[in-house]
Amino acid sequence: MEVNRDEAERCIDIATAALSNEQPEKAQRFLEKAQRLFPTEKAKVLLEMIAKNGFTPRGGHSDFNGQSGPRQRQPNNDDTRPEAKPSEKSYTADQLDSVRRIKQCKDFYQILGVQADASEDELKRSYRKLALKFHPDKNHAPGATEAFKAIGNAYAVLSNASKRQQYDQCGEEKKNPSSNGPENENFEADISPEDLFNMFFGGGYPSSSASMYANGRMRNQRRDRRERPREGGFALFVQVMPILILVIVSALSQIMVNSPPYSLSYRPSAGYTQKRLTMSLKVPYYVGEHFSREITGLNLKNLERTVEDDFISNLRNNCWKEKQQKEGMLYRARYFGDNDLYQRAQRARTPSCAKLSEITATFHG
């Protein structure tokens, strides 16, 4: 039903114009069609008015005159008809103009509002701003969902170095990025716009209609799976065979490759059961039963230096991820005025960063 919202809004606009031209029968037909496509309070109120007294807007100032943004009905002492309720999800003229601008863009760079030589940081800044502005839970203008999907698709392609190079090489042959035809399959994102949004901002967006943003190909695949008849056991075996071959080859390669002498985590299945601490930073690591006899002296010192380097590298990566997630939560909390989310972000812990600071202090000490 959600995908019919734009068409329903168009029918309501036509009905509103018909009422202004004193054509209640035409208006009623389009309002009934709008209710079948996507029921709204606005269409329901107009239908009730037509059924009761053939409602016609007076003076062209009805709150259903097709103008976007919050609408308020002008008081009229002679009008005894019930007051029309505003739409549950209103939008502004600026939001509608922004959606139209996105739909008119000729390429992904125009959608994101950047130059063709834009850096990765510029792409991120532009996507961050536009994704929050056009997310359908924030922007209810007709076409906002399609604009949000186009923005996500544009960033997903341009942020991928190989896809961006391929896209740039197309030159004048590039198609309109807002269309969903087969000619654009090479430049479609491999991730849905909602998943990209959650990944970019650390997850947790309060979406009420996440199923809308799923890639169209995903929907078709689900439908195909429902409609596909059950096949015999041999056909299933043929489909699973490549996976079995891949698993066997992977297992053989692991057997043939020499295992490292240590692990940063306890792994009894691989033989890393004996816990040790490095001499310098006291970093815990695990080794096999014969480690003490095989590695001694200078070799042990060099290995422990490698252990500490790996440990610090992991801490830096985890610290960066923790900071990104916390910053994303704070950004969304400030943008949407979510006090609870802001408090949770403030209390969010960054244990990897704390440990990294502790090790740094040890070095300087």
Side-chain angles (χ1 to χ4, degrees), residues 167-277:
Y167 180 77
D168 291 339
Q169 288 174 351
C170 288
E172 297 299 327
E173 296 179 1
K174 287 182 289 190
K175 304 295 182 180
N176 188 332
S178 298
S179 64
N180 295 319
E183 67 275 7
N184 288 320
E185 288 184 357
N186 292 334
F187 300 117
E188 286 187 359
D190 296 328
I191 184 173
S192 70
E194 184 68 11
D195 289 341
L196 175 63
F197 184 93
N198 287 335
M199 182 177 68
F200 196 91
F201 290 98
Y205 193 92
S207 173
S208 60
S209 54
S211 60
M212 289 171 54
Y213 322 122
N215 189 294
R217 289 176 296 177
M218 288 185 179
R219 296 190 178 194
N220 293 333
Q221 289 170 3
R222 296 192 191 102
R223 191 182 303 113
D224 291 343
R225 282 196 292 267
R226 289 195 300 267
E227 296 175 353
R228 185 181 301 143
R230 295 183 179 179
E231 300 175 349
F234 179 75
L236 180 61
F237 176 74
V238 172
Q239 293 177 354
V240 176
M241 185 183 298
I243 300 176
L244 293 175
I245 294 174
L246 182 62
V247 171
I248 293 172
V249 171
S250 176
L252 290 175
S253 63
Q254 289 181 1
I255 293 174
M256 291 184 291
V257 174
N258 291 330
S259 300
Y262 72 92
S263 172
L264 292 177
S265 60
Y266 178 72
R267 294 169 55 196
S269 60
Y272 302 110
T273 56
Q274 308 298 316
K275 183 177 180 180
R276 294 176 61 95
L277 297 175

Side-chain angles (χ1 to χ4, degrees), residues 5 9 38-44 64 71 85-91 140:
R5 179 192 293 181
E9 289 286 346
F38 187 84
T40 60
E41 186 68 20
K42 180 165 60 175
K44 179 181 176 182
F64 297 108
R71 302 166 178 127
K85 298 179 180 179
S87 173
E88 294 180 359
K89 295 183 178 181
S90 60
Y91 54 88
H140 305 300

Side-chain angles (χ1 to χ4, degrees), residues 18-53:
L19 286 173
S20 300
N21 296 329
E22 298 184 356
Q23 296 176 319
E25 294 178 357
K26 178 179 178 181
Q28 185 174 358
R29 286 199 308 273
F30 279 95
L31 289 171
E32 290 173 349
K33 180 179 179 182
Q35 287 294 80
R36 289 195 300 272
L37 291 170
F38 187 84
T40 60
E41 186 68 20
K42 180 165 60 175
K44 179 181 176 182
V45 170
L46 282 173
L47 282 171
E48 290 177 354
M49 290 181 175
I50 293 175
K52 288 181 181 180
N53 46 24

Side-chain angles (χ1 to χ4, degrees), residues 80-223:
T80 59
R81 294 184 294 274
E83 183 178 355
K85 298 179 180 179
S87 173
E88 294 180 359
K89 295 183 178 181
S90 60
Y91 54 88
T92 65
D94 180 62
Q95 289 177 327
L96 187 59
D97 290 341
S98 299
V99 169
R100 289 171 179 168
R101 184 193 69 79
I102 294 294
K103 289 186 174 182
Q104 292 172 358
C105 290
K106 296 297 189 297
D107 59 48
F108 290 153
Y109 294 103
Q110 286 188 12
I111 288 180
L112 295 180
V114 298
Q115 299 296 324
D117 58 350
S119 65
E120 185 177 351
D121 289 338
E122 290 175 321
L123 292 175
K124 286 183 179 180
R125 285 196 298 270
S126 179
Y127 173 76
R128 180 191 293 271
K129 177 181 177 182
L130 293 174
L132 290 172
K133 181 178 180 180
F134 285 91
H135 195 286
D137 280 359
K138 181 74 174 178
N139 189 331
H140 305 300
T145 298
E146 287 73 15
F148 177 74
K149 290 165 67 176
I151 292 165
N153 191 47
Y155 177 75
V157 171
L158 297 182
S159 61
N160 184 306
S162 60
K163 283 196 172 186
R164 181 175 182 178
Q165 182 180 9
Q166 183 183 2
Y167 180 77
D168 291 339
Q169 288 174 351
C170 288
E172 297 299 327
E173 296 179 1
K174 287 182 289 190
K175 304 295 182 180
N176 188 332
S178 298
S179 64
N180 295 319
E183 67 275 7
N184 288 320
E185 288 184 357
N186 292 334
F187 300 117
E188 286 187 359
D190 296 328
I191 184 173
S192 70
E194 184 68 11
D195 289 341
L196 175 63
F197 184 93
N198 287 335
M199 182 177 68
F200 196 91
F201 290 98
Y205 193 92
S207 173
S208 60
S209 54
S211 60
M212 289 171 54
Y213 322 122
N215 189 294
R217 289 176 296 177
M218 288 185 179
R219 296 190 178 194
N220 293 333
Q221 289 170 3
R222 296 192 191 102
R223 191 182 303 113

